[in-house]
Amino acid sequence: MNLTVTDVRLTPILVADPPLLNTQGVHQPYTPRLIVEVVTADGVTGVGETYGDTKYLELARPFAEKLIGRQVSDLNGLFTVAEEVAVDGSQVSGRVDVGGLRGVQTADKLRLSVVSGFEVACLDALGKALGQPVHALLGGKVRDTVEYSAYLFYRWARHPEGVPAEPDDWGAAVDPAGVVEQARRFKERHGFTSFKLKGGVFPPDEEIAAVRALAEAFPGHPLRLDPNGAWSVETSLKVAQELGGILEYLEDPALGTAAMAEVSAATGVPLATNMCVTTFAEIKEAFTRDAVQVVLSDHHYWGGLRNTQQLAAVCRAFGVAISMHSNTHLGISLAAMTHVAATVPGLHHACDSHYPWQAEDVLTERLAFRDGTIAVSDAPGLGVELDRDRLSALHRRWLDDDGTLRDRDDAAAMRVADPGWTTPAVPRW
């Protein structure tokens, strides 16, 4: 068995995205993703997926070159390789992340997001070579299915007139009735039994009304609200008081660990985050100040599946719960999320996933939700297969783009509909 890496293929693509609203603006009609393929001397190919924006591509390309000749099993070495790749300081200095929803970028955060795609591809290739599923390479699964939550968004019925986009049948959701109808369709189509609403879009009273409407329509179903740090401490406490008996947790109501700690000290509503704890260096302050009670992991943020397991172990040591964050992603990432989630003990909150919003994929067969869960594959590797025709078509879309959509920018997308739109100052309310 020869596990030497002989080729690495990087394929940037543009994937259709609906007009989903957040506090920064609206999703563009297409979002960039990067598909990573790692090929061994024996002809085994592993696949991974991560962000496809220009700054990630510029780091992934030299990273890929440095992998040639290394062992696909040398997963620790991926981080050494990443340190050898220079990061353009202009790409991260003073800037915020993809979508503006993770805080200020750093070179280390950028590297970790790139490493994540390569680590998943290497694990997929290693699993195929050994005839083992990825979860077995991670120590074995502790559950056969992983529960996911319906990810609700305020949204327009369609992208602005004149903007090339792929149509869908979801319709608008800009008020409580629209949010409830969206949740009902998610439940009917996929069997979800918990719901998360992306907030920070409308004044807090309107979003409180939407959560109350969900609670009335779906009694007993866990509910979450995530305004992406758009509120002041005072507003966060007001919402917590209003929804204290309804919410499973309140996610990132205020921006930053200090503000979250202040909110946490004055409410009994659990606080979750995927914004103030996204690296190991950020854990100490957040946990010692009791700023968060639930960390939403994301293997794209943390540098892969094994780092996600390490994060879960740290959370257990501090008595902090863990679940999983999601950004726009395809089936490769959902498969990876499911494999690592299957290995994490004490996963008591359903994971997030954008996947039901993505009508396009690069797999021969879409992953299917049954009763709000994904079955954990026991096939070798991730248990998924690339559809090369679909991959080629989505890559052609990327090649044909004039560069406008190769970097996600929710504020720019909003300015198409509202030329005067500027990224709101925080706190917004």
Side-chain angles (χ1 to χ4, degrees):
M1 183 182 299
N2 192 336
L3 299 178
T4 304
V5 176
T6 57
D7 190 21
V8 179
R9 295 190 288 265
L10 303 178
T11 309
I13 61 177
L14 286 176
V15 181
D17 213 6
L20 308 178
L21 298 166
N22 57 47
T23 196
Q24 296 285 316
V26 64
H27 288 205
Q28 293 170 305
Y30 301 98
T31 196
R33 298 295 287 178
L34 175 63
I35 305 303
V36 178
E37 296 178 77
V38 173
V39 185
T40 72
D42 287 340
V44 176
T45 300
V47 297
E49 174 193 345
T50 190
Y51 301 111
D53 303 66
T54 302
K55 55 185 168 288
Y56 298 97
L57 280 174
E58 290 180 349
L59 183 56
R61 285 168 177 146
F63 190 105
E65 292 176 1
K66 289 179 177 291
L67 284 191
I68 304 299
R70 300 179 71 95
Q71 295 297 296
V72 78
S73 57
D74 184 15
L75 302 174
N76 290 332
L78 295 176
F79 297 94
T80 302
V81 172
E83 290 297 326
E84 297 172 353
V85 177
V87 175
D88 182 353
S90 66
Q91 292 280 16
V92 295
S93 179
R95 299 190 179 191
V96 294
D97 77 307
V98 172
L101 305 176
R102 188 187 171 192
V104 175
Q105 289 184 340
T106 66
D108 286 340
K109 287 183 179 181
L110 186 59
R111 287 190 178 100
L112 287 171
S113 293
V114 172
V115 168
S116 70
F118 286 93
E119 189 227 40
V120 168
C122 287
L123 282 167
D124 185 39
L126 184 60
K128 289 173 179 175
L130 299 175
Q132 294 290 319
V134 165
H135 66 74
L137 303 181
L138 298 175
K141 61 183 179 180
V142 297
R143 57 185 61 84
D144 293 322
T145 61
V146 173
E147 184 182 4
Y148 288 87
S149 178
Y151 206 154
L152 310 179
F153 279 82
Y154 291 107
R155 58 159 290 163
W156 298 330
R158 60 189 63 83
H159 286 282
E161 186 175 351
V163 174
E166 307 303 314
D168 65 42
D169 64 352
W170 282 92
V174 293
D175 55 23
V179 170
V180 168
E181 177 57 27
Q182 186 182 109
R184 183 169 288 113
R185 294 181 70 181
F186 265 117
K187 185 176 177 65
E188 291 172 352
R189 292 183 179 189
H190 305 292
F192 293 120
T193 58
S194 63
F195 302 97
K196 169 179 167 175
L197 175 62
K198 177 66 73 179
V201 177
F202 295 110
D205 284 345
E206 295 183 34
E207 297 182 354
I208 289 170
V211 173
R212 289 189 180 279
L214 286 169
E216 182 177 350
F218 304 98
H221 288 51
L223 303 176
R224 306 100 174 255
L225 176 60
D226 172 21
N228 282 122
W231 302 335
S232 67
V233 170
E234 292 75 17
T235 298
S236 300
L237 290 173
K238 176 182 181 295
V239 175
Q241 182 177 15
E242 292 280 344
L243 298 177
I246 296 175
L247 289 177
E248 178 185 15
Y249 57 69
L250 182 58
E251 181 181 340
D252 286 308
L255 188 62
T257 296
M260 289 283 283
E262 195 174 346
V263 175
S264 178
T267 180
V269 176
L271 302 186
T273 188
N274 74 278
M275 294 179 68
C276 63
V277 180
T278 63
T279 63
F280 287 102
E282 295 167 329
I283 288 177
K284 181 178 179 180
E285 181 185 8
F287 286 11
T288 56
R289 298 184 67 173
D290 193 29
V292 297
Q293 290 74 51
V294 184
V295 169
L296 303 179
S297 66
D298 186 325
H299 74 274
H300 306 94
Y301 284 9
W302 290 86
L305 308 188
R306 296 179 315 130
N307 272 10
T308 300
Q309 289 183 307
Q310 292 180 32
L311 168 64
V314 174
C315 287
R316 285 199 302 276
F318 280 86
V320 174
I322 190 150
S323 188
M324 197 166 288
H325 163 261
S326 166
N327 209 319
T328 304
H329 65 83
L330 299 180
I332 296 172
S333 283
L334 181 58
M337 292 163 63
T338 301
H339 274 276
V340 70
T343 70
V344 173
L347 190 69
H348 299 309
H349 301 282
C351 301
D352 296 341
S353 177
H354 279 66
Y355 191 64
W357 287 115
Q358 313 317 136
E360 298 180 329
D361 205 346
V362 294
L363 301 182
T364 56
E365 183 178 356
R366 284 182 64 88
L367 276 67
F369 294 93
R370 299 282 186 265
D371 298 323
T373 70
I374 295 286
V376 182
S377 172
D378 289 323
L382 291 173
V384 299
E385 181 180 350
L386 273 181
D387 183 326
R388 297 207 168 273
D389 290 338
R390 289 302 305 150
L391 180 65
S392 177
L394 298 183
H395 180 54
R396 283 197 302 272
R397 183 187 287 159
W398 184 88
L399 291 172
D400 291 341
D401 179 65
D402 61 5
T404 303
L405 299 174
R406 291 185 182 182
D407 293 286
R408 177 177 165 180
D409 190 335
D410 293 356
M414 180 64 89
R415 283 193 290 273
V416 176
D418 179 3
W421 177 266
T422 58
T423 302
V426 178
R428 189 173 177 184
W429 288 283

